[in-house]
Amino acid sequence: HLAALRGMERWGVGTLELGLNIRMVAGPGMSPGALKVMRDTWRNFTNEQGTLETLKDAALPGFSLSIGGKKPPKLSMNHSVSVDAYGVSASAKDETGLLHAWYTFLQLLHSNNDGAQMRGVRIPHAEIADEPDFAFRGIHLCVFPETTLAMLGKLLKLCAFLKYSHVTVEFWGMLRLDSMRELSWPQAFT
C-alpha cells in the first residue's frame, strides 16, 4: 500500500511482470555511487536472488531511468515514475529525486513466488509524480548496548528508503573514542 502522496497518481488496470535479472538504462547525470545504491537495493528486494545491470545512455535526460526501453515520463514535480506494459521509467530534477523515484518504484513491487524461490516481480501499472512535503525530514536514532552493527545498518538503509533527508545517530556510549575511552561501554563500536 502506498503512503498518501501530495503529488499526482493514476492507477492502470494491468500489471507488468519482470524477472529477477533486469537491465536498467540511466541518464548521464547519475553518479556511480547512485547506480550502486540502485543495484544493492534491487539485490535486497529480490532476496539476494536478482541482479540489476546498469548502463548509461547519453541520449536519455540527465536524471532518468528506463527498464524495458520505456521513454522517461515528462517531469511535472520533483520526480515521476511510470509503469505500463512496455516497462518502467522515471525522471527527476536531480540525482536525489531519481533515487526517490527508484524507492517509489520499489514500494510498488510484489513478488512472484514459487514456494521459497522468487520467480520475479509484478508491478501495477501506474503514473506517479511527487515531491517531498518537507525540505527537512529528519529522524533521531539512538544506539544502545543492545544495538548490533547489522541492525544499525538496516535502520540507516530503511531511513533512505523512507526518503529521510537527515539522520542523526546518537551512540549513547556505544562509540569508543581514543581520547576518552571511559565514556563508552566495554562493547562499544571502535
Side-chain angles (χ1 to χ4, degrees):
H1 185 308
L2 271 180
L5 298 173
R6 179 170 66 134
M8 179 275 301
E9 36 179 303
R10 283 194 307 243
W11 299 95
V13 294
T15 58
L16 173 67
E17 296 208 16
L18 294 174
L20 297 178
N21 301 308
I22 62 172
R23 174 180 288 169
M24 180 188 78
V25 180
M30 296 303 292
S31 70
L35 294 174
K36 182 181 182 321
V37 165
M38 291 173 161
R39 286 190 301 271
D40 290 348
T41 54
W42 180 258
R43 185 101 176 121
N44 288 338
F45 268 75
T46 59
N47 296 321
E48 308 294 323
Q49 297 175 37
T51 57
L52 175 69
E53 179 185 3
T54 55
L55 306 169
K56 281 189 171 183
D57 184 348
L60 288 177
F63 300 104
S64 63
L65 65 84
S66 174
I67 298 171
K70 182 171 170 49
K71 183 179 175 185
K74 287 191 166 60
L75 191 59
S76 61
M77 298 183 89
N78 181 59
H79 59 274
S80 298
V81 178
S82 176
V83 181
D84 62 21
Y86 302 104
V88 179
S89 63
S91 56
K93 292 181 179 177
D94 56 24
E95 186 172 82
T96 299
L98 195 60
L99 285 171
H100 286 181
W102 176 253
Y103 294 137
T104 298
F105 160 68
L106 292 176
Q107 290 172 2
L108 297 172
L109 296 180
H110 297 272
S111 63
N112 284 336
N113 293 341
D114 184 12
Q117 186 68 26
M118 207 172 168
R119 291 184 293 116
V121 294
R122 63 187 187 285
I123 308 112
H125 292 180
E127 298 283 334
I128 298 172
D130 197 21
E131 60 191 10
D133 285 331
F134 305 102
F136 180 93
R137 183 174 183 190
I139 189 168
H140 185 150
L141 302 175
C142 293
V143 179
F144 296 107
E146 306 81 33
T147 308
T148 65
L149 197 54
M151 178 55 74
L152 181 59
K154 287 180 181 182
L155 286 171
L156 291 171
K157 287 178 182 177
L158 180 62
C159 290
F161 179 73
L162 294 174
K163 305 172 189 170
Y164 281 96
S165 62
H166 295 77
V167 177
T168 301
V169 180
E170 188 171 349
F171 282 92
W172 284 82
M174 285 303 299
L175 181 63
R176 184 170 298 127
L177 304 173
D178 290 337
S179 62
M180 300 284 288
R181 290 183 175 272
E182 63 273 12
L183 293 180
S184 63
W185 294 97
Q187 69 272 31
F189 303 120
T190 56

